[in-house]
Each structure stands twice: as structure tokens, then as C-alpha cells.
Amino acid sequence: MDQSLKLLEGVRIIAFTQFLLGPAAVQYLADMGADVVKIEPPAGPYERRWAGADAYVNGVSSFFMLAHRNVRSISLDLKRPEGLEVARELCRGADVVVSNFRPRVMEKLGLDHPELSRLKPDLVYACASGYGSDSPYRDLPGQDLLLQATTGLAAATGRSDGPPVAAGAAIVDQHGASLLAMGILAALHHRRATGEGQRVEVTMVQAALDLQLEPYTYHLNGGTVERPTTDLASSFHQAPYGFYEVEDGYVALSVSPMRAISQALGDPQELADYLDPEVALPQRNEIHSALAPLLRSFRRAELLDLLRAHGVWCAPVNDYDEVDRDPLVTHLNPVEEIDHPEAGTVRLLKHPIRYSSGAAGTRQVPPGHGEHTDEVLGQAGYSREQIDELRKVGAVT
């Protein structure tokens, strides 16, 4: 296993993380070399017991494995005072504490920022939640679909004559994870320069709005943003921006001059009125209606070659099987195989960033529940006898 990337070597992170946002955020940092210790409850967290698409590999959840590589696991019962004291001791020795529990959970445990910063004044305390610690919605569940609905993302997606449409992935969770990791890195840089710790907070609602940076900004400044009436992909880009059916699937056409498209197709009369760039936005629906029938008889590969030869921005609309075979994806080689002690061979997406200093490989496969309990406690200064006593009273499992 690759152990060459050490960008964050020496950074200790204690993770009270669950579901996707928190685990994905700390996995980014673990990939960069940080030592991430995940605190798990005695029964194991939800993400060990659930897998989307029923995708278990020899009984092991793919949902857990996709966001827990390079992470160590300790099982603590935070409902017991002895377990809570262990958690506090681990936080005292950390550079960063990360939580994506609902607001007030960490406060009730005495593991909130004011408490832990008294133990370690230069601590970076990072938290994420659906709506924020001081929001009137703070006690509502922060789940990806609910945030897509709340922030207008679902209502802005799809055709005007259809229902709201959810994105095909948990994009709010994943963008929130990226923002949380970015905030932690900024706080660590600030601490290195000043010696000061601080609290970093990410809300899913702001992550969802940030994903809509372009259309929401148009809305804020008087632009009309509404769902298209055709298979155009938006109402604020000029034609031909959208999806077009061909004989064997669909192609996507991005922002390109209609004159180039017309020339590629042999200058058909149907497009003669739409070659002026000034009409590409106000007459986008008319252009789509005129263009779509001209493309249906093409094979996808044939049309793409023809359009690209004329400088038109276009791409195939691939399903996942086609993504697997796409020369671009095979060239990038974004998937790695790991050998998991229970699941066997598992295929996972790699860390998405390249570094000249080394590769962010898998040093540690997603851990078993509490796999590193003794190791982590020993490194924190607990003796063998103390660990045995903690296990005897049920504080660690």
C-alpha cells in the first residue's frame, strides 16, 4: 500500500463523524497523511449497517468503505462517564476535532468548542450540520435530499412541465465535505502562523447554495431563472445548451455558435434564422425545437466526430457502464482495488487530487469496528491495565 504522501503528517484528527459528509471530509485529510481516529459507538455507526443499492461486499457495507480508508477506529461508549473521559483525553491530544452530529449533541456531551478549547486552546474545532448551530432549523435532520429541496436546487432541476428533480448523487453532502476539509486546512495554516485555534462551521444549506452560485446570483440580481420547457439544460444559457436524442442514445451540446453547428450539418434551412449570436439566448427554445429533429437520425459517435471537427463543444451522455469504458476514465485510472480482510477485493474511487510530492494511496483499508481501540489508547498513554479496566466497565468495546 502506498504510504508516500505526507502532506499532513503529524496532524492528529479525532472524528465524531457519521453518514457521508463528515467521513468524506476527514478521509480527504487522511489521504493527505493526517492521522484520523474515528470515535464509534459500541453498536457501530449507521454507515456500517446500511448500503445504498444494497451494495454489500461479502456482508460489508460499500457505503462505509467509500469514506473510511486511511482512518483508524476506536469504539467508545460516550454514555458512560469513563468513555466520555477517554474521548476528552483523546481530544486534548488532537490538533483537530471534527463533528457532524446535530447541533447541541456535542454540547450535551461536554465536547463542544468552548469546553474542548479550555483543554487545548489552539484546537481547530470543525463542525458541520444541516442548518447551523444557531439556525431556527437546527434541530431538523440535515439530509441531502431535504437540503436539495429546501435550497431550491430540486425545484430548479428538470423541465418546467415535470416535478422537481433530485441530482443523481448526494452532491450537497459531497460538496459540504470538500468545504469542511478546505476550512480545516485554512484553520491549520492560520494556527501555524499565529498559534491560534478556532472553530470552523459548515452548513449543508450553504453548501447547497454554493453549488448554485451561478443561477442563484442571477436570481439575486434581477435575472429570470426558471426551468426550461424543452430538453435544454437551463434557462440562463444560450442555445444549444442541453441534451439531444440520437439514434443510439443522447449527446450533450454546450455553448457553441449555431453557425458552426449549421455548417457541420450542411447548413440546413431549418437553422437559417438562428445563426445570429444575438438570438441564441432569447430564442433558445425555438432553436432547440428546430435542431433536435435534425440530430435524431445520427449515430452518437458519428455525430460527435462531425461536430468536434467543426469546433462544437459536445459529449456523449454516458451511463455508468459507459463511463467505465470511456478512454478518458481508463486513462485517468480513478478506481483502485483494495484487499479488505472481510469483504475481499473491493473497488473504490481514489483520492481525486494529484500531487507532485507523491500519491494519496491507501495506507489503511476501512477499519473494522473498534479495530484500533487498544492501539490508540496505548498511544494516548493508557496502560494495559487501564485499557482492560475500561473494557471491563464497558467504556470501550
Side-chain angles (χ1 to χ4, degrees):
M1 295 181 186
D2 196 328
Q3 301 186 47
S4 58
L5 193 67
K6 299 180 180 180
L7 299 177
L8 295 180
E9 186 177 33
V11 174
R12 170 68 64 85
I13 299 173
I14 302 300
F16 299 87
T17 52
Q18 59 180 343
F19 305 121
L20 178 57
L21 193 163
V26 297
Q27 179 175 263
Y28 287 138
L29 304 176
D31 287 347
M32 298 176 195
D35 177 21
V36 176
V37 177
K38 180 182 174 78
I39 307 296
E40 300 194 53
Y46 175 83
E47 54 268 23
R48 286 191 182 273
R49 305 189 299 272
W50 181 86
D54 203 24
Y56 293 89
V57 185
N58 291 329
V60 182
S61 166
S62 293
F63 183 57
F64 180 83
M65 289 189 287
L66 65 86
H68 287 89
R69 67 168 168 255
N70 297 329
V71 171
R72 296 194 289 168
S73 166
I74 176 172
S75 179
L76 284 180
D77 189 347
L78 299 181
K79 295 179 181 178
R80 295 181 179 273
E82 299 91 344
L84 197 54
E85 183 54 37
V86 171
R88 289 171 61 84
E89 191 62 29
L90 293 177
C91 292
R92 188 199 303 269
D95 299 290
V96 183
V97 170
V98 182
S99 167
N100 69 309
F101 294 154
R102 289 193 200 183
R104 298 198 282 210
V105 170
M106 295 292 276
E107 182 180 352
K108 290 177 181 177
L109 292 170
L111 298 173
D112 55 324
H113 178 243
E115 285 295 321
L116 293 184
S117 63
R118 278 194 279 271
L119 294 178
K120 187 175 176 61
D122 65 347
L123 181 70
V124 172
Y125 188 96
C127 56
S129 63
Y131 307 96
S133 56
D134 57 356
S135 163
Y137 292 178
R138 63 181 175 269
D139 294 323
L140 295 178
Q143 192 275 330
D144 198 280
L145 181 65
L146 306 183
L147 268 298
Q148 289 190 44
T150 301
T151 61
L153 183 56
T157 306
R159 289 175 53 147
S160 62
D161 57 355
V165 176
I171 59 173
V172 180
D173 271 324
Q174 202 64 41
H175 187 53
S178 300
L179 294 176
L180 187 60
M182 181 169 64
I184 291 168
L185 292 174
L188 285 171
H189 178 76
H190 176 80
R191 191 181 75 163
R192 177 175 292 180
T194 67
E196 298 173 355
Q198 66 180 293
R199 184 176 182 272
V200 176
E201 182 173 10
V202 168
T203 66
M204 293 178 71
V205 66
Q206 286 187 287
L209 291 173
D210 192 59
L211 282 169
Q212 301 173 82
L213 178 67
E214 184 183 5
Y216 197 61
T217 300
Y218 297 153
H219 161 75
L220 292 174
N221 291 280
T224 299
V225 180
E226 54 193 11
R227 289 196 286 172
T229 59
T230 66
D231 287 334
L232 289 170
S234 80
S235 63
F236 52 87
H237 287 96
Q238 61 266 42
Y241 194 87
F243 302 109
Y244 295 82
E245 186 176 8
V246 295
E247 186 176 304
D248 56 344
Y250 287 83
V251 297
L253 302 185
S254 185
V255 176
S256 294
M258 283 304 302
R259 188 172 298 278
I261 295 172
S262 179
Q263 290 172 351
L265 299 177
D267 289 319
Q269 184 60 37
E270 293 90 334
L271 301 181
D273 294 335
Y274 305 117
L275 304 184
D276 184 348
E278 295 296 320
V279 305
L281 184 63
Q283 296 188 44
R284 60 188 178 276
N285 291 330
E286 294 87 343
I287 293 172
H288 184 277
S289 297
L291 178 59
L294 301 177
L295 305 183
R296 291 194 184 109
S297 62
F298 284 92
R299 301 285 293 178
R300 190 170 68 172
E302 172 196 10
L303 180 61
L304 292 172
D305 287 345
L306 179 64
L307 294 176
R308 285 170 175 168
H310 286 77
V312 176
W313 292 5
C314 56
V317 178
N318 289 332
D319 61 25
Y320 283 157
D321 288 333
E322 291 167 325
V323 171
D324 292 340
R325 300 190 299 267
D326 193 295
L328 167 66
V329 176
T330 56
H331 167 73
L332 291 174
N333 191 28
V335 177
E336 66 174 342
E337 290 188 351
I338 65 169
D339 293 320
H340 190 276
E342 296 177 59
T345 301
V346 181
R347 303 179 73 211
L348 300 172
L349 283 171
K350 296 176 182 176
H351 184 81
I353 307 171
R354 293 183 177 185
Y355 308 88
S356 63
S357 59
T362 298
R363 307 183 306 277
Q364 160 73 46
V365 301
H369 179 217
E371 177 181 343
H372 304 97
T373 298
D374 288 13
E375 176 182 285
V376 170
L377 291 179
Q379 291 173 346
Y382 288 83
S383 68
R384 179 73 264 170
E385 292 75 17
Q386 288 173 311
I387 296 172
D388 289 342
E389 181 61 26
L390 288 169
R391 184 167 280 110
K392 182 178 178 181
V393 302
V396 303
T397 56

